[in-house]
């Protein structure tokens, strides 16, 4: 599974193995050891001081309207209904883009906002950038998906009969947008990145995340410097407009192909370090844990292959009608090579619609004649450019990440 490339630590397996070895060298690698490490990481961060300049308001978790025909809401989160992408273009409009908030969308004043970089991985002292500083740096525009690692989680239960923890997303915790901003590489270079730096730890300005009576601090998750330098953007624009409040205004990270948690919103600080960094979001969360995984779990980095129909659950069709079924497929490994669809009589190859961005999704369609009345099952199965195909079953992991199995989509012919 590990594709060794010159990018070294951007390969997820290499990254995790390297970090695990580093932990092992310094700490016992029991689950308890990892939790202690987490606590230590949090304390260390708190001790670094420098209060964020943003102010979080707990009043409304999500600022933009969430019409029920477009979104399904779960507490502080909202997923896009797949039928709401029917008739839309390649990009997900901001008004339809899913929101994943650990707490609530904060209100941040761009005038006083600063991005602070600090840590042993910088040759000088701490460095600050204002919003205007960032706008003056060379910009880059990329089209990229942001997808929650838990997207599709509910199918572990509904399709595989397994218990998992976390938000019971269907397949709508993904969106594709055009992001404009400054490469993180540019900002790190200006800040004096040393040759020995190994990790960066971007941190949000939203409220501390408190769960089960424990304060886990600011939402933050380390990235290896190799990935940070490769294709990560400090985005200030989404689909041609200033980043909206719910998606990280004024500046968020966009970490293409990796789990959505990497793309920290409302960015306030980035620690740059010559020693590996940890946070609860890479020790406690975003690890694949369960019988099929090593005791310490496997770190979640890159997203997996998935497909979805632009149809409501239990969509109704008139018997005998000729239809065109439409959908989209995507993968954290790169473009989609082919998509097959089964409507009950075997797999048929779907036709691609339009071009796809490297880090976006592929739209497709296939004709279908709705047959006899009753419940029918539609299935779509994609294969990506690395040859990875969606399996029938995803091995269970306790937190329900990276569900990649073919989803059985029920429709009714009446
Ligand atoms: N500061 C901050 N950044 C964050 C989060 C958060 O709660 N706070 N949620 C993360 C998760 S889990 C996901 S999936 C994506 C969701 O991005 P979106 O809300 O713009 O769709 O943001 C990530 N960045
Ligand atoms: Mo997420």
């Amino acid at each position: 599974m590990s594709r060794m490339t010159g990018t070294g630590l951007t390969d997820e397996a290499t990254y995790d193995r390297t970090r695990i070895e580093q932990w092992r060298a310094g700490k016992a690698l029991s689950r308890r050891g990892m939790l202690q490490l987490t606590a230590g990481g949090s304390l260390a961060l708190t001790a670094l001081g420098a209060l964020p300049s943003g102010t979080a308001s707990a009043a409304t978790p999500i600022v933009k309207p969430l019409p029920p025909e477009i979104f399904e809401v779960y507490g502080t989160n909202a997923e896009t209904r797949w039928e709401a992408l029917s008739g839309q273009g390649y990009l997900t409009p901001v008004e339809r883009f899913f929101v994943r908030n650990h707490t609530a969308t904060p209100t941040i004043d761009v005038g006083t906002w600063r991005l602070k970089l600090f840590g042993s991985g910088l040759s000088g002292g701490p460095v600050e950038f204002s919003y205007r500083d960032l706008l003056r740096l060379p910009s880059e525009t990329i089209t990229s998906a942001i997808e929650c690692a838990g997207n599709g989680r509910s199918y572990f239960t509904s399709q595989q009969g397994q218990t998992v923890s976390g938000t019971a997303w269907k397949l709508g915790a993904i969106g594709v947008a055009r992001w404009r901003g400054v490469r993180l590489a540019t900002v790190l270079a200006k800040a004096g990145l040393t040759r020995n730096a190994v990790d960066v730890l971007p941190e949000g300005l939203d409220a501390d995340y408190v769960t089960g009576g424990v304060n886990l601090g600011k939402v933050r998750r380390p990235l290896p410097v190799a990935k940070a330098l490769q294709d990560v953007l400090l985005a200030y624009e989404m689909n041609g407009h200033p980043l909206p409040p719910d998606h990280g205004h004024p500046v968020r990270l966009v970490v293409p192909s990796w789990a959505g948690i990497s793309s920290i919103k409302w960015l306030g600080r980035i620690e740059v370090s010559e020693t590996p960094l940890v946070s609860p979001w890479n020790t406690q969360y975003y690890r694949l844990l369960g019988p099929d995984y090593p005791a310490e779990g496997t770190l979640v980095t890159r997203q997996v292959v998935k497909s979805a129909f632009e149809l409501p659950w239990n969509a109704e069709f008139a018997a005998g009608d000729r239809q065109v079924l439409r959908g989209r497929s995507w993968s954290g490994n790169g473009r989609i090579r082919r998509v097959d669809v089964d409507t009950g009589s075997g797999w048929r190859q779907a036709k691609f619609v339009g071009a796809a961005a490297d880090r976006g999704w592929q739209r497709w369609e296939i004709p279908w004649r709705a047959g006899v009345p009753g419940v029918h099952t539609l299935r779509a199965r994609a294969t990506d450019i690395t040859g990875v195909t969606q399996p029938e079953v995803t091995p269970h992991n306790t937190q329900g990440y990276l569900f990649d199995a073919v989803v059985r989509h029920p429709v009714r012919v009446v």
Side-chain angles (χ1 to χ4, degrees):
M1 99 172 241
S2 110
R3 293 170 299 113
M4 295 302 295
T5 63
T7 50
L9 285 185
T10 61
D11 177 271
E12 61 268 43
T14 315
Y15 174 51
D16 198 32
R17 210 180 318 115
T18 310
R19 288 291 173 271
I20 289 285
E21 277 156 16
Q22 283 159 332
W23 281 334
R24 202 169 265 147
K27 321 261 173 185
L29 202 70
S30 63
R31 289 297 301 291
R32 250 188 93 196
M34 290 182 62
L35 291 176
Q36 282 159 4
L37 198 60
T38 300
S42 303
L43 284 174
L45 270 175
T46 313
L48 284 163
L51 282 171
S53 51
T55 42
S57 142
T60 351
I62 296 174
V63 169
K64 70 183 178 185
L66 302 171
E69 65 278 14
I70 296 180
F71 290 104
E72 189 156 351
V73 179
Y74 314 89
T76 59
N77 313 303
E79 82 168 284
T80 310
R81 291 185 191 275
W82 267 90
E83 60 267 37
L85 290 183
S86 169
Q88 299 291 319
Y90 186 78
L91 303 178
T92 312
V94 167
E95 301 73 34
R96 290 168 197 252
F97 206 101
F98 85 102
V99 180
R100 167 42 173 143
N101 280 353
H102 280 72
T103 60
T105 297
T107 306
I108 293 166
D109 170 15
V110 294
T112 55
W113 177 85
R114 297 287 182 275
L115 175 63
K116 296 169 181 141
L117 290 92
F118 64 94
S120 60
L122 299 181
S123 53
V127 183
E128 284 193 4
F129 293 84
S130 68
Y131 188 68
R132 290 183 53 185
D133 291 336
L134 291 186
L135 294 187
R136 277 196 288 258
L137 291 173
S139 79
E140 188 169 296
T141 305
I142 60 169
T143 297
S144 174
I146 289 184
E147 181 183 17
C148 187
N151 194 25
R153 176 181 285 130
S154 66
Y155 301 108
F156 277 105
T157 307
S158 63
Q159 221 169 262
Q160 303 189 171
Q162 295 159 339
T163 303
V164 288
S165 59
T167 302
W169 303 112
K170 297 185 185 77
L171 284 170
I174 178 170
V176 174
R178 258 172 93 68
W179 310 96
R180 180 163 170 261
V182 184
R183 291 176 65 101
L184 179 54
T186 305
V187 166
L188 287 172
K190 279 206 160 295
L193 182 73
T194 70
R195 286 163 60 193
N196 297 329
V198 293
D199 278 353
V200 300
L201 182 55
E203 183 181 297
L205 291 168
D206 40 342
D208 287 6
Y209 180 57
V210 179
T211 179
V214 181
N215 186 341
L216 300 181
K218 297 292 178 192
V219 177
R220 61 197 190 283
R221 190 181 198 238
L223 269 181
V225 163
K227 177 67 176 172
L229 296 179
Q230 187 186 37
D231 58 358
V232 175
L233 204 62
L234 292 160
Y236 48 71
E237 258 182 41
M238 181 178 183
N239 292 345
H241 298 282
L243 208 56
D246 296 312
H247 299 289
H249 179 86
V251 175
R252 82 175 300 166
L253 227 54
V254 175
V255 180
S257 314
W258 282 34
I261 184 61
S262 317
S263 295
I264 295 293
K265 304 192 276 186
W266 316 294
L267 199 58
R269 310 197 302 169
I270 304 180
E271 182 178 356
V272 185
S273 175
E274 296 196 340
T275 55
L277 297 171
V278 291
S279 89
W281 287 268
N282 73 335
T283 56
Q284 182 176 341
Y285 301 117
Y286 302 97
R287 302 196 72 84
L288 304 176
L289 295 159
D292 293 319
Y293 297 99
E296 69 274 17
T298 302
L299 186 71
V300 171
T301 56
R302 204 177 284 270
Q303 290 290 123
V304 289
V305 199
K306 291 195 189 75
S307 302
F309 289 93
E310 295 170 6
L311 288 175
W313 213 244
N314 297 315
E316 286 200 359
F317 297 96
D321 262 14
R322 289 184 186 283
Q323 304 287 337
V324 176
L325 302 174
R326 294 190 173 81
R328 306 180 189 222
S329 300
W330 61 97
S331 166
N333 298 324
R335 284 172 197 253
I336 296 299
R337 182 192 285 162
R338 72 177 280 159
V339 176
D340 296 284
V341 171
D342 174 36
T343 55
S345 49
W347 294 102
R348 289 184 292 144
Q349 192 172 348
K351 192 182 113 197
F352 284 1
V353 177
D358 280 348
R359 295 163 174 118
W361 46 27
Q362 175 65 57
R363 294 191 288 163
W364 45 260
E365 61 180 38
I366 194 159
W368 179 51
R369 190 172 162 275
V372 294
V375 174
H376 294 248
T377 301
L378 307 180
R379 300 190 297 161
R381 183 183 68 190
T383 302
D384 70 27
I385 46 152
T386 68
V388 175
T389 300
Q390 291 182 254
E392 284 297 313
V393 174
T394 303
H396 177 246
N397 69 88
T398 57
Q399 296 177 106
Y401 297 123
L402 304 184
F403 187 88
D404 62 348
V406 173
V407 169
R408 297 194 285 271
H409 190 129
V411 296
R412 291 160 49 82
V413 175
V414 291

